[in-house]
Amino acid sequence: MTKTSDDEEILNPYVQGLKGTPKDPDLTSLPEKSREIYFRAYNNFNKWRVENGVYALSETVLLSYFMHLSQTKQPPTMWSIYSMLKATMNIKDDMHIENYSELITFLKGMQVGHNPKKSKMFTFSDIDKFINEAPDIIYLGAKVILIIGINGGCRTNELMSLNVDGIEKHSETLLLIKLPNSKTSTNRSFVVREEYVKIVEQYQCLRPPNAKSDRFFLQYHKGKCSGQPMGRNKIGGIPRDIATYLKLPNPQDYTGHCFKRTSASLLADSGADLSSLKGDGNTRPKVRDKR
């Protein structure tokens, strides 16, 4: 599509707006921990407008955008994007999209009949087999993510944000893991014991001395760690990689929620009560097979 000079005058403010940063003073009222994600959702909407030559802001435009998103996004994700756009557009564009009844009706309609899939879980024997049989040269990083993820009942973002100072050695058989910025906005901690300490330390020793990131989990390939931290998608895909190695059915159903669900299941199997399942993660069963 060829744009006229008039089109360009209308379009320029939106293109220039994409060059902003989450430090924009207008955005300081957004949640600090997720401000960048809100900003990205707003940017993605504006980029879609630029790519499709849409210069107006209206309920019809937003309906078209969410119809576009519905081709690739699940209803929960679309509601999340709606929530972020609602907050950001209120600040940046003085728009109140919570009053857009047709848009809300569309989103509710998308939710009808949607049954969210729960991640599959690992068994004690699955965990034991992977840790003891998978070759370290390929899977050492995955083993450490599995050990910490299940002992702490961790979410993907918690594993991603774990930093090098969050792991403390208290004895030859005990590591204390401290997780910052959990979903409840409170720090929590848990322990890794016995033989798993050596596996975690083996991974720690591979950390490049010149690594610029303080994140604990770095990219692991052929027995070496690079200075590049693992991203959310990489860590979230580890359960699938483990399930693939173990030749479990439908490995794609082992998602980033796998570690938390597995941890809760193991707690329940070990006789833990409901209060332990809802606790801060300090009481976790050791990751080992029942023998």
Side-chain angles (χ1 to χ4, degrees), residues 8 24 35 45 50 82 85 118 123 142 151 157 165 189 193 199 216 225 255 257 260-261 267:
E8 289 171 354
D24 187 328
R35 193 174 298 156
F45 172 56
V50 170
Y82 163 81
L85 285 179
K118 290 185 177 180
T123 64
N151 273 281
N157 66 310
D165 294 330
S189 60
R193 296 184 175 90
I199 297 174
F216 178 73
C225 284
T255 70
H257 296 288
K260 186 170 179 60
R261 292 200 70 219
L267 268 174

Side-chain angles (χ1 to χ4, degrees), residues 252-269:
Q252 71 277 3
D253 292 340
Y254 292 80
T255 70
H257 296 288
C258 176
F259 297 139
K260 186 170 179 60
R261 292 200 70 219
T262 298
S263 180
S265 176
L266 298 184
L267 268 174
D269 289 346

Side-chain angles (χ1 to χ4, degrees), residues 115-244:
N115 295 314
K117 276 189 175 182
K118 290 185 177 180
S119 173
K120 286 189 173 183
M121 298 175 288
F122 294 123
T123 64
F124 277 110
S125 57
D126 291 336
I127 296 165
D128 188 66
K129 182 177 181 180
F130 181 75
I131 289 176
N132 290 313
E133 297 182 10
D136 285 350
I137 195 168
I138 300 173
Y139 293 106
L140 180 61
K143 289 182 182 182
V144 177
I145 289 173
L146 173 67
I147 290 167
I148 293 178
I150 290 182
N151 273 281
C154 299
R155 303 175 180 89
T156 298
N157 66 310
E158 290 178 315
L159 290 166
M160 186 179 70
S161 63
L162 177 64
N163 58 46
V164 291
D165 294 330
I167 299 184
E168 298 178 2
K169 186 171 183 178
H170 281 236
S171 71
E172 291 300 315
T173 60
L174 180 65
L175 289 178
L176 177 66
I177 313 294
K178 297 180 179 179
L179 289 176
N181 302 324
S182 67
K183 192 175 181 180
T184 58
S185 299
T186 56
N187 295 344
R188 65 187 182 91
S189 60
F190 57 93
V191 295
V192 171
R193 296 184 175 90
E194 298 181 0
E195 64 268 31
Y196 304 111
V197 170
K198 293 182 179 179
I199 297 174
V200 175
E201 289 183 329
Q202 183 182 348
Y203 178 80
Q204 278 182 301
C205 290
L206 298 175
R207 184 179 186 85
N210 59 346
K212 295 181 179 179
S213 174
D214 66 349
R215 298 228 299 255
F216 178 73
F217 287 112
L218 302 177
Q219 295 285 356
Y220 180 80
H221 183 64
K222 293 184 178 180
K224 296 181 180 180
C225 284
S226 71
Q228 181 71 25
M230 286 193 195
R232 181 183 179 87
N233 291 338
K234 176 64 176 178
I235 293 176
I238 292 296
R240 181 191 61 239
D241 295 342
I242 294 171
T244 300

Side-chain angles (χ1 to χ4, degrees), residues 9 12 31 41 45-46 49 54 57 67 77 83 86 102 109 111 120 129 135 145 160 173 184 190 198 200 236 254 268:
E9 288 178 6
N12 277 340
F45 172 56
N46 275 339
R49 291 168 63 203
V54 178
L57 276 175
M67 287 179 183
T77 303
S83 179
K86 179 178 69 173
E102 288 186 34
Q111 212 164 8
K120 286 189 173 183
K129 182 177 181 180
I145 289 173
M160 186 179 70
T173 60
T184 58
F190 57 93
K198 293 182 179 179
V200 175
Y254 292 80

